[in-house]
Amino acid sequence: MRIGIAGLGLIGGSLAQALGGHHEITGHDIDRGTRDLAASAGIRMVERLDELLPADAVIVATPVAAVLPTLATLAPRAGVCVLIDVSSVRAPVESFVRGGGGGTARIVGMHPMAGRSGSGFAAADPALLAGRPFLIVPTSTADAAALALAGALARDVGGVPTVCSAVEHDRILALTSALPLALAVALSLTASEAVGDLAPFAGPGYRDTTRLADTPAELAMALLRSNAANAVVAIARLRTTLDELERAVAEQDVAALRDLLGRASAARQALR
C-alpha cells in the first residue's frame, strides 16, 4: 500500500521506519532538518503536504496543535484515502469531524501507547512500537474498512490494536499519560526544592518515577491542556489517595497502610 506520513518526529518517524518494510512510504515535515534526516534514512520525502496524496492512507503524526490544520488541508483532497491521526487527545478531532471540518473524508484515530523522553526523528525507533497498545478510535465518517486499515497498520508495526470511543480514550489517557506526567512534575519539584542537588543520592526508583518531568515543555503542556477536564479529575483523585496515604502514615494505621499497599501492588502486577 501507499502510505503517507505527515510529521516525522518520534512517533511519525518510528512509524515510517517500521512500516517501510511492508509498504511504500512517503513523508512530509515542515522542518528542513527533519526532512534531511528522514531522507538520509531512506524515506522518500516531499516538499508539500498535498504531495502525500494520492495514497491508501495518510498518517498525521504532527504536534497536537497542527493535527486539525493538517486534517483540514488533506480532507478535501483525500478521496478514498483514509486519514489516520495519532493524536493523544480525541475530543478536538471528534468535534472537528462532527462539525463538518473533514467533509466526507474517512478519519480514524490510531494512538500508539508508546513514547520516550527523546524527541524528533533522531529519537525515532521502530522497536518503540512493538508490543504496544494502539487505540483505534472511530469518528462519525469512518467506515468498517477504514477501521480495519488502521488496525492492520498497527499490527504491521507489531502493535496490539484495541477499538475504543473518543470519550473513553480521553478518560483513560488522563490516567495513563497526563496523571503520570503531573505526578513526575510534582515529585521532581518537591524533592529538589527540599534537598537541592539530588544527583549524588538518587537511585533508579526516583529516576524512573521522575522521568516524565523531562518531557519537552510544549508536549507536556499539550498533554495537560488539551485534555484538561479529564486531567483535573485524575489529579483530584490522586490527591484523595495521597491524603488517605498521608493519614495512614501519620496515624500509624497499619491496617489501612497494608490495605493501600496491597491494592497498589495488585494493580501493578495486573499490568504484567
Side-chain angles (χ1 to χ4, degrees):
M1 289 191 293
R2 294 172 299 174
I3 308 297
I5 301 181
L8 274 295
L10 174 64
I11 297 300
S14 297
L15 284 167
Q17 293 177 46
L19 288 170
H22 304 272
H23 307 287
E24 178 185 334
I25 305 299
T26 302
H28 172 271
D29 199 285
I30 62 171
D31 180 73
R32 166 59 69 182
T34 298
R35 292 200 298 269
D36 291 344
L37 278 175
S40 68
I43 298 170
R44 176 178 175 268
M45 301 296 294
V46 293
E47 292 289 326
R48 299 195 320 272
L49 181 62
D50 59 8
E51 291 182 280
L52 293 176
L53 298 168
D56 295 292
V58 172
I59 298 172
V60 177
T62 63
V64 172
V67 168
L68 296 187
T70 302
L71 289 173
T73 298
L74 293 169
R77 304 170 177 82
V80 298
C81 174
V82 178
L83 302 182
I84 301 172
D85 77 277
V86 300
S87 179
S88 57
V89 183
R90 303 308 314 166
V93 177
E94 182 72 9
S95 296
F96 170 80
V97 173
R98 288 189 180 278
T104 59
R106 296 182 294 165
I107 298 174
V108 181
M110 185 188 76
H111 181 203
M113 301 299 290
R116 57 173 50 140
S117 297
S119 60
F121 187 83
D125 179 1
L128 182 72
L129 307 169
R132 306 306 304 170
F134 275 65
L135 303 187
I136 309 299
V137 186
T139 70
S140 57
T141 60
D143 56 17
L147 292 174
L149 177 57
L153 292 178
R155 285 187 287 271
D156 284 343
V157 301
V160 182
T162 298
V163 177
C164 67
S165 70
V167 171
E168 186 70 357
H169 173 280
D170 287 358
R171 187 183 72 82
I172 291 171
L173 263 290
L175 295 166
T176 61
S177 184
L179 186 59
L181 170 62
L183 181 58
V185 169
L187 180 56
S188 293
L189 291 175
T190 300
S192 63
E193 290 172 1
V195 177
D197 182 12
L198 283 166
F201 314 107
Y206 178 80
R207 293 179 185 275
D208 288 348
T209 51
T210 57
R211 179 181 65 83
L212 291 177
D214 196 32
T215 301
E218 290 304 314
L219 174 57
M221 290 177 64
L223 286 172
L224 293 169
R225 295 182 64 213
S226 58
N227 198 15
N230 286 304
V232 166
V233 171
I235 292 170
R237 294 186 67 173
L238 173 64
R239 185 181 297 110
T240 299
T241 303
L242 286 174
D243 287 343
E244 190 177 353
L245 183 59
E246 180 185 17
R247 186 201 64 78
V249 172
E251 297 177 6
Q252 294 292 291
D253 187 337
V254 174
L257 191 57
R258 191 183 304 280
D259 176 66
L260 284 165
L261 295 175
R263 285 191 285 128
S265 178
R268 180 66 176 86
Q269 289 178 28
L271 294 178
R272 301 171 188 168

